[in-house]
Amino acid sequence: MTESQIKSQVKESVEAVRAQKPLAPSITNTVTINFVANAQLAVGGSAAMVYLPDEGEFVSEVGSAVYINAGTMFPVYEESLPRTAKRLFELKKNWVLDPVGIGIGSLRTKLLAGFKEFPPSIVRGNASEVIALAKLWGIELSTSSQGPKGVDTVDSVNDAENAAKALAKYINEKRGGLGGAVAVSGIEDLVTDGENVVYSKGGSHFMEKITGSGCSLGGVCAVYAGVASPFIAALTATQIYNLAGKRAEAKVNAPASFQVAFLDELYLASAEDVANNPFELK
Amino acid sequence: MTESQIKSQVKESVEAVRAQKPLAPSITNTVTINFVANAQLAVGGSAAMVYLPDEGEFVSEVGSAVYINAGTMFPVYEESLPRTAKRLFELKKNWVLDPVGIGIGSLRTKLLAGFKEFPPSIVRGNASEVIALAKLWGIELSTSSQGPKGVDTVDSVNDAENAAKALAKYINEKRGGLGGAVAVSGIEDLVTDGENVVYSKGGSHFMEKITGSGCSLGGVCAVYAGVASPFIAALTATQIYNLAGKRAEAKVNAPASFQVAFLDELYLASAEDVANNPFELK
Amino acid sequence: MTESQIKSQVKESVEAVRAQKPLAPSITNTVTINFVANAQLAVGGSAAMVYLPDEGEFVSEVGSAVYINAGTMFPVYEESLPRTAKRLFELKKNWVLDPVGIGIGSLRTKLLAGFKEFPPSIVRGNASEVIALAKLWGIELSTSSQGPKGVDTVDSVNDAENAAKALAKYINEKRGGLGGAVAVSGIEDLVTDGENVVYSKGGSHFMEKITGSGCSLGGVCAVYAGVASPFIAALTATQIYNLAGKRAEAKVNAPASFQVAFLDELYLASAEDVANNPFELK
């Protein structure tokens, strides 16, 4: 893809979401669930959160795309997550996985490992999480990479480029060519479909001073995945986050004000500005 | 009731809550639970949230009124919701039901159907939810109405008037004449006790751009139901929401700022202004 | 300890947290979980929330200190809370207990009673909760005190002084001299290690108009407990809360704006100012 093609498709995604209000249901953690929903609404999508197995299947059917975030595990997830992922796979629907906390606890590990069979169309995580997921799925990487590190990132976005590309290729293949993408969050954010690699710029140092900037980015990826390919969806979400983050930071001097300003800027950002937010196509 | 009687009772409710700080415990969804609690505190009430069966019974005994919101179902709700509703019924305490997500999943359907035997004093929902609940309870309506539609409303408030009146009458009868009310949220909000029908005006288009404006309205209905009849409680909550929404909208240009301003205005609104917020008595 | 020693250690705690970003994982209620995490981040710590038994044990191992808040009980807590407390005890790690809702429900009572064997290093609660916990643990008090009162405080901070000192002494003894502290929240806040008693001043009347000011204080105690003794940790958290609360109140006229301003002030407060926030050493 060319830079100009990418910009044009990002712009269309922003506009399509505002026109269609796609429903992007979530099974997500209790810490940032409210932020996820409000971010989804701010960009123009619709939200619905569930926990139970048959509800996960139901929302997979009625939703445009789905978001699964492994943040706070409940016992019922043992049934809900596999059944939801399987149904999404059968329906060939886009869904986004945030493997947050990978490496913590046996149930989380088992469920994240199980997603290899019914993979998401988009993985959104920090560098350490993306590397850890590739390892958990036994995906061979051309460079050495590190193991699970818990909730905090220690690897850099660059370190995760190979893992991200390999994961995206695996997803695309397993989903029969329906596309796959991985978004790695960091100082600059990497988005790849296995072939194209984009580094998106902007954001704010306050992103790390509020909980849920990553989780809500995953939820917003799902909103755009209701109207666009996994790659364009992940990139559009990343671009609007970097734009809104930069704009919000310019207005405030502390994190709670930042969060309010950031959500406001998600709502106010024009499609044009999101498409033109600085990025680099490698 | 006359318009002037209504105004006078709404004013008294606002004042009574601020004087008495009634405790209105909730079993509510994890998405908007924080917003519910903060809205209850902002209008002058007290909040307490629980999930377990014996805790639902306990707070039914110590609370002034209770709020049950079916948003995010947990397995333990299979026991908690029926036992809490039954205890509230036996205690003849007011409680508010928000049947959000009606039509999603087997447990939710079973529990919402079961409330027919131990009905709430107030039902708060959008038009589609209110119509769906009336159908689920097999309440005969004079006009045709549509079935469950999930979390998003598609029917208009007008469409739900017959269902709302029928539900309110059923509730009042089943509760032995203790009163019943239904509040239907929309562009204008309908509140009825089965006889009187009021359309309350105001609010904001930002209400749909934040998650939980409906859920938190239900929680605030429960606060007022601790000091007033179901009808006056539902109307007072609706009036203060419409007033605060309108005032907040005038101060901001985006949804996250709106949410902060809205909660502030709930706290700042005078009893007089809440009573005088525009409404129409049909 | 002298006033000047206390100030110096409080200042060091504030600085150490900002330098080390200690991870303070939580098992906490769904109402205020987001506020807890954001407050922990605002003062410079790291957050991670879990529910499952093996995850509680895991985060006890990797965290600097842990926070357990009994606000909203889930069935899985029957296993998670005792196993986590036991592991923390064995690891001799600091952890903070907020016995919120003490007296509500059989599981909560059983689990809170069980913590007597594997006690936290810090108890954070209002006066009624602290008195109730001392009674539940059968700790003999020199003055009469009242029983469980649910979520709302009715006793004054002064009333709880004996209970707080007795609890702190018990904790220290049971933990083999590793220290113990109790923080009692009220108009003025009491912090004691069983010997020293400090009354910290400031705060805001808006603290009671938002949900989670107490819960998040507990989470912030855990952050400081990752770098300081239980007594200094509890006092540093209390001091920064009183400073930020007072500063935030001066800027706003309503509770939602207050919450945003309060979190901002937690982030902005200098170590010097936290140490010099008015307090009285009895």
Side-chain angles (χ1 to χ4, degrees), chain C residues 55-84:
Chain C
E55 299 191 346
E57 291 169 338
F58 180 91
V59 299
S60 297
E61 279 155 30
V62 300
S64 300
V66 168
Y67 178 44
I68 296 181
N69 173 303
T72 48
M73 306 299 293
F74 285 120
V76 75
Y77 280 20
E78 184 153 17
E79 258 198 85
S80 303
L81 296 200
R83 281 173 55 179
T84 303

PDB file of all heavy atoms in Angstrom, chain C residues 55-84:
ATOM      1  N   GLU C  55      -3.843 -15.922  40.667  1.00  0.00           N
ATOM      2  CA  GLU C  55      -3.395 -14.593  40.243  1.00  0.00           C
ATOM      3  C   GLU C  55      -3.112 -13.712  41.461  1.00  0.00           C
ATOM      4  O   GLU C  55      -2.182 -12.904  41.449  1.00  0.00           O
ATOM      5  CB  GLU C  55      -4.438 -13.951  39.324  1.00  0.00           C
ATOM      6  CG  GLU C  55      -4.661 -14.780  38.060  1.00  0.00           C
ATOM      7  CD  GLU C  55      -5.478 -14.061  37.002  1.00  0.00           C
ATOM      8  OE1 GLU C  55      -6.106 -13.035  37.325  1.00  0.00           O
ATOM      9  OE2 GLU C  55      -5.483 -14.543  35.842  1.00  0.00           O
ATOM     10  N   GLY C  56      -3.915 -13.878  42.505  1.00  0.00           N
ATOM     11  CA  GLY C  56      -3.648 -13.164  43.758  1.00  0.00           C
ATOM     12  C   GLY C  56      -2.287 -13.560  44.313  1.00  0.00           C
ATOM     13  O   GLY C  56      -1.508 -12.717  44.771  1.00  0.00           O
ATOM     14  N   GLU C  57      -2.000 -14.869  44.254  1.00  0.00           N
ATOM     15  CA  GLU C  57      -0.692 -15.342  44.738  1.00  0.00           C
ATOM     16  C   GLU C  57       0.437 -14.817  43.845  1.00  0.00           C
ATOM     17  O   GLU C  57       1.488 -14.386  44.334  1.00  0.00           O
ATOM     18  CB  GLU C  57      -0.674 -16.872  44.766  1.00  0.00           C
ATOM     19  CG  GLU C  57      -1.598 -17.447  45.827  1.00  0.00           C
ATOM     20  CD  GLU C  57      -1.796 -18.945  45.695  1.00  0.00           C
ATOM     21  OE1 GLU C  57      -1.578 -19.503  44.594  1.00  0.00           O
ATOM     22  OE2 GLU C  57      -2.198 -19.568  46.702  1.00  0.00           O
ATOM     23  N   PHE C  58       0.201 -14.841  42.549  1.00  0.00           N
ATOM     24  CA  PHE C  58       1.237 -14.397  41.613  1.00  0.00           C
ATOM     25  C   PHE C  58       1.586 -12.912  41.828  1.00  0.00           C
ATOM     26  O   PHE C  58       2.748 -12.543  41.918  1.00  0.00           O
ATOM     27  CB  PHE C  58       0.760 -14.615  40.170  1.00  0.00           C
ATOM     28  CG  PHE C  58       1.757 -14.193  39.126  1.00  0.00           C
ATOM     29  CD1 PHE C  58       2.694 -15.081  38.628  1.00  0.00           C
ATOM     30  CD2 PHE C  58       1.758 -12.886  38.628  1.00  0.00           C
ATOM     31  CE1 PHE C  58       3.619 -14.689  37.660  1.00  0.00           C
ATOM     32  CE2 PHE C  58       2.675 -12.483  37.668  1.00  0.00           C
ATOM     33  CZ  PHE C  58       3.610 -13.388  37.178  1.00  0.00           C
ATOM     34  N   VAL C  59       0.554 -12.087  41.911  1.00  0.00           N
ATOM     35  CA  VAL C  59       0.846 -10.649  42.080  1.00  0.00           C
ATOM     36  C   VAL C  59       1.419 -10.351  43.463  1.00  0.00           C
ATOM     37  O   VAL C  59       2.119  -9.350  43.641  1.00  0.00           O
ATOM     38  CB  VAL C  59      -0.384  -9.747  41.783  1.00  0.00           C
ATOM     39  CG1 VAL C  59      -0.836  -9.922  40.342  1.00  0.00           C
ATOM     40  CG2 VAL C  59      -1.509  -9.984  42.768  1.00  0.00           C
ATOM     41  N   SER C  60       1.153 -11.234  44.434  1.00  0.00           N
ATOM     42  CA  SER C  60       1.791 -11.069  45.744  1.00  0.00           C
ATOM     43  C   SER C  60       3.294 -11.247  45.621  1.00  0.00           C
ATOM     44  O   SER C  60       4.075 -10.606  46.326  1.00  0.00           O
ATOM     45  CB  SER C  60       1.237 -12.098  46.736  1.00  0.00           C
ATOM     46  OG  SER C  60      -0.138 -11.886  46.940  1.00  0.00           O
ATOM     47  N   GLU C  61       3.675 -12.118  44.715  1.00  0.00           N
ATOM     48  CA  GLU C  61       5.112 -12.372  44.528  1.00  0.00           C
ATOM     49  C   GLU C  61       5.799 -11.253  43.742  1.00  0.00           C
ATOM     50  O   GLU C  61       6.892 -10.827  44.092  1.00  0.00           O
ATOM     51  CB  GLU C  61       5.324 -13.718  43.831  1.00  0.00           C
ATOM     52  CG  GLU C  61       5.237 -14.867  44.820  1.00  0.00           C
ATOM     53  CD  GLU C  61       4.836 -16.178  44.189  1.00  0.00           C
ATOM     54  OE1 GLU C  61       5.151 -16.388  43.005  1.00  0.00           O
ATOM     55  OE2 GLU C  61       4.171 -16.986  44.880  1.00  0.00           O
ATOM     56  N   VAL C  62       5.146 -10.770  42.701  1.00  0.00           N
ATOM     57  CA  VAL C  62       5.807  -9.762  41.852  1.00  0.00           C
ATOM     58  C   VAL C  62       5.563  -8.328  42.304  1.00  0.00           C
ATOM     59  O   VAL C  62       6.306  -7.426  41.927  1.00  0.00           O
ATOM     60  CB  VAL C  62       5.390  -9.904  40.363  1.00  0.00           C
ATOM     61  CG1 VAL C  62       5.768 -11.283  39.834  1.00  0.00           C
ATOM     62  CG2 VAL C  62       3.913  -9.618  40.152  1.00  0.00           C
ATOM     63  N   GLY C  63       4.515  -8.118  43.107  1.00  0.00           N
ATOM     64  CA  GLY C  63       4.205  -6.757  43.541  1.00  0.00           C
ATOM     65  C   GLY C  63       5.094  -6.299  44.688  1.00  0.00           C
ATOM     66  O   GLY C  63       5.657  -7.109  45.411  1.00  0.00           O
ATOM     67  N   SER C  64       5.199  -4.985  44.851  1.00  0.00           N
ATOM     68  CA  SER C  64       5.953  -4.431  45.976  1.00  0.00           C
ATOM     69  C   SER C  64       5.117  -4.474  47.245  1.00  0.00           C
ATOM     70  O   SER C  64       5.637  -4.612  48.350  1.00  0.00           O
ATOM     71  CB  SER C  64       6.346  -2.988  45.682  1.00  0.00           C
ATOM     72  OG  SER C  64       7.148  -2.924  44.537  1.00  0.00           O
ATOM     73  N   ALA C  65       3.801  -4.331  47.072  1.00  0.00           N
ATOM     74  CA  ALA C  65       2.851  -4.423  48.181  1.00  0.00           C
ATOM     75  C   ALA C  65       1.492  -4.628  47.532  1.00  0.00           C
ATOM     76  O   ALA C  65       1.328  -4.363  46.335  1.00  0.00           O
ATOM     77  CB  ALA C  65       2.856  -3.155  49.025  1.00  0.00           C
ATOM     78  N   VAL C  66       0.523  -5.102  48.285  1.00  0.00           N
ATOM     79  CA  VAL C  66      -0.774  -5.470  47.694  1.00  0.00           C
ATOM     80  C   VAL C  66      -1.898  -4.775  48.447  1.00  0.00           C
ATOM     81  O   VAL C  66      -1.763  -4.422  49.616  1.00  0.00           O
ATOM     82  CB  VAL C  66      -0.947  -7.012  47.712  1.00  0.00           C
ATOM     83  CG1 VAL C  66      -2.372  -7.441  47.396  1.00  0.00           C
ATOM     84  CG2 VAL C  66       0.035  -7.663  46.728  1.00  0.00           C
ATOM     85  N   TYR C  67      -3.012  -4.566  47.732  1.00  0.00           N
ATOM     86  CA  TYR C  67      -4.198  -3.929  48.316  1.00  0.00           C
ATOM     87  C   TYR C  67      -5.392  -4.866  48.199  1.00  0.00           C
ATOM     88  O   TYR C  67      -5.702  -5.334  47.103  1.00  0.00           O
ATOM     89  CB  TYR C  67      -4.477  -2.627  47.558  1.00  0.00           C
ATOM     90  CG  TYR C  67      -5.707  -1.880  48.011  1.00  0.00           C
ATOM     91  CD1 TYR C  67      -5.994  -1.712  49.360  1.00  0.00           C
ATOM     92  CD2 TYR C  67      -6.586  -1.327  47.086  1.00  0.00           C
ATOM     93  CE1 TYR C  67      -7.120  -1.011  49.767  1.00  0.00           C
ATOM     94  CE2 TYR C  67      -7.702  -0.616  47.486  1.00  0.00           C
ATOM     95  CZ  TYR C  67      -7.970  -0.463  48.828  1.00  0.00           C
ATOM     96  OH  TYR C  67      -9.078   0.233  49.229  1.00  0.00           O
ATOM     97  N   ILE C  68      -6.047  -5.131  49.306  1.00  0.00           N
ATOM     98  CA  ILE C  68      -7.295  -5.902  49.263  1.00  0.00           C
ATOM     99  C   ILE C  68      -8.413  -5.056  49.849  1.00  0.00           C
ATOM    100  O   ILE C  68      -8.330  -4.567  50.971  1.00  0.00           O
ATOM    101  CB  ILE C  68      -7.170  -7.233  50.038  1.00  0.00           C
ATOM    102  CG1 ILE C  68      -6.129  -8.140  49.356  1.00  0.00           C
ATOM    103  CG2 ILE C  68      -8.520  -7.937  50.112  1.00  0.00           C
ATOM    104  CD1 ILE C  68      -5.933  -9.498  50.024  1.00  0.00           C
ATOM    105  N   ASN C  69      -9.460  -4.888  49.026  1.00  0.00           N
ATOM    106  CA  ASN C  69     -10.616  -4.080  49.406  1.00  0.00           C
ATOM    107  C   ASN C  69     -11.844  -4.967  49.287  1.00  0.00           C
ATOM    108  O   ASN C  69     -12.101  -5.540  48.226  1.00  0.00           O
ATOM    109  CB  ASN C  69     -10.704  -2.884  48.464  1.00  0.00           C
ATOM    110  CG  ASN C  69     -11.951  -2.051  48.653  1.00  0.00           C
ATOM    111  OD1 ASN C  69     -13.066  -2.551  48.555  1.00  0.00           O
ATOM    112  ND2 ASN C  69     -11.768  -0.775  48.920  1.00  0.00           N
ATOM    113  N   ALA C  70     -12.587  -5.074  50.378  1.00  0.00           N
ATOM    114  CA  ALA C  70     -13.688  -6.029  50.445  1.00  0.00           C
ATOM    115  C   ALA C  70     -15.006  -5.485  49.912  1.00  0.00           C
ATOM    116  O   ALA C  70     -16.066  -6.034  50.184  1.00  0.00           O
ATOM    117  CB  ALA C  70     -13.870  -6.465  51.900  1.00  0.00           C
ATOM    118  N   GLY C  71     -14.962  -4.421  49.124  1.00  0.00           N
ATOM    119  CA  GLY C  71     -16.183  -3.720  48.717  1.00  0.00           C
ATOM    120  C   GLY C  71     -17.243  -4.572  48.050  1.00  0.00           C
ATOM    121  O   GLY C  71     -18.345  -4.732  48.576  1.00  0.00           O
ATOM    122  N   THR C  72     -16.953  -5.087  46.881  1.00  0.00           N
ATOM    123  CA  THR C  72     -17.949  -5.933  46.208  1.00  0.00           C
ATOM    124  C   THR C  72     -17.426  -7.364  46.154  1.00  0.00           C
ATOM    125  O   THR C  72     -16.501  -7.668  45.431  1.00  0.00           O
ATOM    126  CB  THR C  72     -18.235  -5.450  44.764  1.00  0.00           C
ATOM    127  OG1 THR C  72     -16.995  -5.216  44.085  1.00  0.00           O
ATOM    128  CG2 THR C  72     -19.058  -4.177  44.767  1.00  0.00           C
ATOM    129  N   MET C  73     -18.060  -8.230  46.924  1.00  0.00           N
ATOM    130  CA  MET C  73     -17.624  -9.616  47.043  1.00  0.00           C
ATOM    131  C   MET C  73     -18.093 -10.441  45.843  1.00  0.00           C
ATOM    132  O   MET C  73     -19.262 -10.389  45.465  1.00  0.00           O
ATOM    133  CB  MET C  73     -18.226 -10.245  48.306  1.00  0.00           C
ATOM    134  CG  MET C  73     -17.970  -9.492  49.596  1.00  0.00           C
ATOM    135  SD  MET C  73     -16.211  -9.341  49.988  1.00  0.00           S
ATOM    136  CE  MET C  73     -15.787 -11.062  50.305  1.00  0.00           C
ATOM    137  N   PHE C  74     -17.170 -11.223  45.286  1.00  0.00           N
ATOM    138  CA  PHE C  74     -17.525 -12.243  44.295  1.00  0.00           C
ATOM    139  C   PHE C  74     -17.361 -13.623  44.935  1.00  0.00           C
ATOM    140  O   PHE C  74     -16.541 -13.778  45.857  1.00  0.00           O
ATOM    141  CB  PHE C  74     -16.590 -12.160  43.080  1.00  0.00           C
ATOM    142  CG  PHE C  74     -16.864 -11.004  42.164  1.00  0.00           C
ATOM    143  CD1 PHE C  74     -15.890 -10.045  41.923  1.00  0.00           C
ATOM    144  CD2 PHE C  74     -18.091 -10.864  41.529  1.00  0.00           C
ATOM    145  CE1 PHE C  74     -16.126  -8.976  41.065  1.00  0.00           C
ATOM    146  CE2 PHE C  74     -18.333  -9.797  40.676  1.00  0.00           C
ATOM    147  CZ  PHE C  74     -17.355  -8.855  40.441  1.00  0.00           C
ATOM    148  N   PRO C  75     -18.084 -14.634  44.443  1.00  0.00           N
ATOM    149  CA  PRO C  75     -17.945 -15.978  45.016  1.00  0.00           C
ATOM    150  C   PRO C  75     -16.500 -16.478  45.044  1.00  0.00           C
ATOM    151  O   PRO C  75     -16.076 -17.117  46.011  1.00  0.00           O
ATOM    152  CB  PRO C  75     -18.816 -16.850  44.093  1.00  0.00           C
ATOM    153  CG  PRO C  75     -19.852 -15.915  43.562  1.00  0.00           C
ATOM    154  CD  PRO C  75     -19.150 -14.587  43.424  1.00  0.00           C
ATOM    155  N   VAL C  76     -15.720 -16.177  44.013  1.00  0.00           N
ATOM    156  CA  VAL C  76     -14.348 -16.683  43.933  1.00  0.00           C
ATOM    157  C   VAL C  76     -13.450 -16.108  45.034  1.00  0.00           C
ATOM    158  O   VAL C  76     -12.390 -16.660  45.333  1.00  0.00           O
ATOM    159  CB  VAL C  76     -13.755 -16.391  42.531  1.00  0.00           C
ATOM    160  CG1 VAL C  76     -13.378 -14.930  42.371  1.00  0.00           C
ATOM    161  CG2 VAL C  76     -12.558 -17.287  42.240  1.00  0.00           C
ATOM    162  N   TYR C  77     -13.906 -15.031  45.665  1.00  0.00           N
ATOM    163  CA  TYR C  77     -13.122 -14.449  46.763  1.00  0.00           C
ATOM    164  C   TYR C  77     -12.945 -15.438  47.916  1.00  0.00           C
ATOM    165  O   TYR C  77     -12.009 -15.299  48.695  1.00  0.00           O
ATOM    166  CB  TYR C  77     -13.812 -13.187  47.301  1.00  0.00           C
ATOM    167  CG  TYR C  77     -13.597 -11.951  46.476  1.00  0.00           C
ATOM    168  CD1 TYR C  77     -13.196 -12.013  45.157  1.00  0.00           C
ATOM    169  CD2 TYR C  77     -13.802 -10.686  47.037  1.00  0.00           C
ATOM    170  CE1 TYR C  77     -13.008 -10.855  44.412  1.00  0.00           C
ATOM    171  CE2 TYR C  77     -13.613  -9.528  46.295  1.00  0.00           C
ATOM    172  CZ  TYR C  77     -13.218  -9.630  44.995  1.00  0.00           C
ATOM    173  OH  TYR C  77     -13.032  -8.476  44.263  1.00  0.00           O
ATOM    174  N   GLU C  78     -13.866 -16.380  48.023  1.00  0.00           N
ATOM    175  CA  GLU C  78     -13.758 -17.363  49.107  1.00  0.00           C
ATOM    176  C   GLU C  78     -12.398 -18.057  49.057  1.00  0.00           C
ATOM    177  O   GLU C  78     -11.843 -18.425  50.094  1.00  0.00           O
ATOM    178  CB  GLU C  78     -14.892 -18.393  48.995  1.00  0.00           C
ATOM    179  CG  GLU C  78     -14.896 -19.374  50.139  1.00  0.00           C
ATOM    180  CD  GLU C  78     -16.274 -19.943  50.420  1.00  0.00           C
ATOM    181  OE1 GLU C  78     -17.176 -19.838  49.552  1.00  0.00           O
ATOM    182  OE2 GLU C  78     -16.458 -20.492  51.539  1.00  0.00           O
ATOM    183  N   GLU C  79     -11.881 -18.232  47.853  1.00  0.00           N
ATOM    184  CA  GLU C  79     -10.551 -18.824  47.698  1.00  0.00           C
ATOM    185  C   GLU C  79      -9.473 -17.753  47.537  1.00  0.00           C
ATOM    186  O   GLU C  79      -8.377 -17.869  48.068  1.00  0.00           O
ATOM    187  CB  GLU C  79     -10.521 -19.681  46.428  1.00  0.00           C
ATOM    188  CG  GLU C  79     -10.626 -21.169  46.672  1.00  0.00           C
ATOM    189  CD  GLU C  79     -10.156 -21.915  45.435  1.00  0.00           C
ATOM    190  OE1 GLU C  79      -8.945 -22.124  45.302  1.00  0.00           O
ATOM    191  OE2 GLU C  79     -11.022 -22.235  44.595  1.00  0.00           O
ATOM    192  N   SER C  80      -9.790 -16.730  46.747  1.00  0.00           N
ATOM    193  CA  SER C  80      -8.755 -15.752  46.373  1.00  0.00           C
ATOM    194  C   SER C  80      -8.215 -14.974  47.568  1.00  0.00           C
ATOM    195  O   SER C  80      -6.998 -14.793  47.699  1.00  0.00           O
ATOM    196  CB  SER C  80      -9.320 -14.743  45.357  1.00  0.00           C
ATOM    197  OG  SER C  80      -9.812 -15.410  44.230  1.00  0.00           O
ATOM    198  N   LEU C  81      -9.124 -14.494  48.408  1.00  0.00           N
ATOM    199  CA  LEU C  81      -8.651 -13.622  49.492  1.00  0.00           C
ATOM    200  C   LEU C  81      -7.793 -14.368  50.516  1.00  0.00           C
ATOM    201  O   LEU C  81      -6.696 -13.904  50.851  1.00  0.00           O
ATOM    202  CB  LEU C  81      -9.823 -12.882  50.152  1.00  0.00           C
ATOM    203  CG  LEU C  81     -10.602 -11.902  49.265  1.00  0.00           C
ATOM    204  CD1 LEU C  81     -11.376 -10.896  50.125  1.00  0.00           C
ATOM    205  CD2 LEU C  81      -9.743 -11.163  48.262  1.00  0.00           C
ATOM    206  N   PRO C  82      -8.230 -15.545  51.013  1.00  0.00           N
ATOM    207  CA  PRO C  82      -7.372 -16.232  51.994  1.00  0.00           C
ATOM    208  C   PRO C  82      -6.028 -16.663  51.402  1.00  0.00           C
ATOM    209  O   PRO C  82      -4.990 -16.508  52.058  1.00  0.00           O
ATOM    210  CB  PRO C  82      -8.190 -17.469  52.382  1.00  0.00           C
ATOM    211  CG  PRO C  82      -9.586 -17.160  52.001  1.00  0.00           C
ATOM    212  CD  PRO C  82      -9.512 -16.224  50.840  1.00  0.00           C
ATOM    213  N   ARG C  83      -6.042 -17.149  50.176  1.00  0.00           N
ATOM    214  CA  ARG C  83      -4.775 -17.604  49.585  1.00  0.00           C
ATOM    215  C   ARG C  83      -3.819 -16.439  49.361  1.00  0.00           C
ATOM    216  O   ARG C  83      -2.609 -16.550  49.586  1.00  0.00           O
ATOM    217  CB  ARG C  83      -5.043 -18.354  48.270  1.00  0.00           C
ATOM    218  CG  ARG C  83      -5.512 -19.792  48.529  1.00  0.00           C
ATOM    219  CD  ARG C  83      -5.943 -20.517  47.274  1.00  0.00           C
ATOM    220  NE  ARG C  83      -4.925 -20.533  46.225  1.00  0.00           N
ATOM    221  CZ  ARG C  83      -5.104 -21.134  45.042  1.00  0.00           C
ATOM    222  NH1 ARG C  83      -6.250 -21.754  44.770  1.00  0.00           N
ATOM    223  NH2 ARG C  83      -4.148 -21.115  44.133  1.00  0.00           N
ATOM    224  N   THR C  84      -4.367 -15.313  48.934  1.00  0.00           N
ATOM    225  CA  THR C  84      -3.524 -14.139  48.721  1.00  0.00           C
ATOM    226  C   THR C  84      -2.957 -13.626  50.046  1.00  0.00           C
ATOM    227  O   THR C  84      -1.762 -13.334  50.154  1.00  0.00           O
ATOM    228  CB  THR C  84      -4.335 -13.036  48.017  1.00  0.00           C
ATOM    229  OG1 THR C  84      -4.841 -13.566  46.785  1.00  0.00           O
ATOM    230  CG2 THR C  84      -3.484 -11.819  47.730  1.00  0.00           C
TER     231      THR C  84
END
